[in-house]
């Protein structure tokens, strides 16, 4: 077989690959995304296996070791009440992942119907719903979350609801834009001309083809949710003591920045790593799922 034939054959096989296979191939080439995936897996394992990995109970105090520095027995040292910081950070991973999943789930469940209705219906319905979305987007997400907590009160459950509501307009606007883009495709016009019902058109023909950017936004919003929960915990509006939440741990350690820096450094470091992991993974997903990405 000549060189030209081999090249054409290889190009033909590449064109015949399914979109999922091509996306996986692009993702495997994205080194930063793989780093993010490894960090995410470590975060998930730390949260799931915290009861098995943590060497101490995260809420048991030992005032004799209050603010003790890191050692072989206590890798991250002790906090102001003599609790093992390494154990508390591990248990904090469970809470942070839970906050991210529930908050983004609330945002998606609330934003998806708004965005789909606005994008598909168009006209007056679109104008009214878009005005609602724009009104919610006019509030900074953290300020909107604080407003919700001011109404319902502090606590972990209310913090997740507040974060979900603050992320809802982001999903609504994205889904609206994707529905508008997909509804103009020829195949959608064809099934509409054949008399398909609107719900079937939305659920079977439009939504599946609008999923890639939504999946990417879910991943990136997980980072935003964890960061927002840390803000609220630091302000005392999120998880309440003695819950081992990273933001609340930062708040507890800020009074000891000069005498016991480790109390704040380790929770702050894991927050940074978690945000970095979701952002790297989300960027990799975006590049992999984008059909215009370079397939080199």
């Amino acid at each position: 077989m000549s060189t030209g034939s081999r090249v054409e054959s290889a190009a033909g096989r590449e064109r015949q690959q399914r979109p999922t296979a091509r996306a996986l191939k692009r993702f495997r080439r994205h080194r930063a995304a793989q780093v993010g995936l490894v960090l995410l897996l470590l975060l998930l394992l730390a949260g799931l296996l915290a009861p098995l990995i943590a060497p101490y109970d995260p809420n048991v105090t030992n005032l004799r070791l209050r603010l003790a520095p890191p050692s072989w027995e206590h890798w991250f040292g002790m906090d102001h009440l003599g609790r093992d910081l390494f154990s508390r950070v591990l248990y904090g991973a469970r809470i942070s992942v839970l906050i991210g999943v529930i908050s983004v789930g609330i945002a998606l469940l609330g934003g998806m119907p708004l965005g789909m209705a606005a994008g598909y219906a168009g006209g007056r319905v679109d104008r009214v719903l878009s005005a609602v979305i724009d009104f919610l987007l006019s509030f900074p997400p953290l300020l909107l979350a604080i407003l919700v907590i001011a109404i319902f009160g502090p606590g972990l459950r209310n913090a997740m609801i507040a974060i979900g509501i603050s992320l809802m307009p982001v999903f609504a606007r994205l889904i609206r834009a994707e529905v508008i883009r997909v509804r103009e495709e020829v195949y959608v016009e064809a099934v509409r001309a054949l008399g398909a019902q609107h719900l079937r058109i939305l659920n079977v023909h439009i939504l599946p083809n609008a999923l890639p950017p939504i999946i990417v936004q879910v991943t990136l919003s997980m980072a935003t949710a964890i960061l927002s929960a840390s803000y609220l915990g630091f302000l005392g509006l999120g998880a309440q003591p003695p819950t081992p939440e990273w933001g609340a741990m930062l708040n507890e350690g800020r009074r000891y920045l000069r005498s016991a820096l480790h109390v704040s450094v380790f929770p702050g470091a894991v927050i940074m790593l978690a945000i970095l992991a979701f952002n790297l993974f989300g960027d990799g997903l975006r590049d992999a799922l984008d059909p215009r990405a370079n397939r080199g």
Side-chain angles (χ1 to χ4, degrees), residues 101-146:
V101 171
I102 294 180
S103 299
V104 173
I106 292 172
L108 191 58
L109 290 176
M112 182 173 288
L114 280 176
M116 291 178 68
Y120 185 77
R124 182 176 298 177
V125 174
D126 185 21
R127 290 194 295 272
V128 172
L129 293 180
S130 295
V132 173
I133 295 170
D134 291 339
F135 175 75
L136 293 175
L137 283 172
S138 66
F139 289 90
L142 183 59
L143 180 60
L144 184 58
I146 292 175

Side-chain angles (χ1 to χ4, degrees), residues 15 65 96 102 156 174 183 197 214 218 235 252 289 293:
R15 285 193 299 270
L65 296 177
S96 294
I102 294 180
L156 184 60
L174 173 64
R183 78 179 184 188
Q197 296 181 348
I214 298 173
V218 165
L235 295 173
E252 294 169 351
L289 297 176

Side-chain angles (χ1 to χ4, degrees), residues 263-281:
V263 179
S264 296
V265 165
F266 290 110
V270 293
I271 291 172
M272 180 194 70
L273 288 175
I275 304 304
L276 178 65
F278 277 109
N279 284 334
L280 291 178
F281 184 67

Side-chain angles (χ1 to χ4, degrees), residues 56-265:
Y56 302 95
D57 189 307
N59 294 321
V60 169
T61 62
N62 185 350
L63 294 178
R64 291 180 301 173
L65 296 177
R66 179 175 178 270
L67 300 178
S71 64
W72 286 110
E73 293 184 353
H74 303 281
W75 292 356
F76 289 0
M78 309 292 277
D79 68 2
H80 65 296
L81 294 178
R83 297 172 296 191
D84 182 67
L85 271 177
F86 180 67
S87 300
R88 290 182 65 78
V89 165
L90 287 177
Y91 275 87
R94 316 181 88 189
I95 295 173
S96 294
V97 172
L98 179 66
I99 289 172
V101 171
I102 294 180
S103 299
V104 173
I106 292 172
L108 191 58
L109 290 176
M112 182 173 288
L114 280 176
M116 291 178 68
Y120 185 77
R124 182 176 298 177
V125 174
D126 185 21
R127 290 194 295 272
V128 172
L129 293 180
S130 295
V132 173
I133 295 170
D134 291 339
F135 175 75
L136 293 175
L137 283 172
S138 66
F139 289 90
L142 183 59
L143 180 60
L144 184 58
I146 292 175
L147 178 62
V148 174
I149 288 179
I151 297 173
F152 296 104
L156 184 60
R157 183 185 63 181
N158 291 340
M160 291 187 289
I161 295 173
I163 295 169
I165 292 174
S166 69
L167 293 174
M168 194 182 300
V170 176
F171 281 96
R173 170 167 281 189
L174 173 64
I175 293 169
R176 172 186 174 274
E178 288 301 309
V179 169
I180 290 174
R181 177 183 64 83
V182 177
R183 78 179 184 188
E184 304 299 331
E185 296 289 342
V186 175
Y187 61 86
V188 175
E189 295 291 341
V191 295
R192 186 182 293 118
L194 291 173
Q197 296 181 348
H198 296 306
L199 284 178
R200 179 174 177 81
I201 294 173
L202 275 170
N203 295 327
V204 177
H205 300 285
I206 292 181
L207 185 58
N209 291 285
L211 277 181
I214 298 173
I215 293 172
V216 174
Q217 186 60 45
V218 165
T219 306
L220 297 175
S221 294
M222 289 283 288
T224 303
I226 292 175
L227 188 60
S228 297
S230 299
Y231 288 151
L232 295 174
F234 183 80
L235 295 173
L237 300 175
Q240 300 298 300
T243 305
E245 194 272 325
W246 294 337
M249 293 166 67
L250 276 178
N251 183 38
E252 294 169 351
R254 65 185 174 86
R255 293 171 291 178
Y256 310 101
L257 289 176
R258 293 188 178 183
S259 58
L261 187 62
H262 65 277
V263 179
S264 296
V265 165

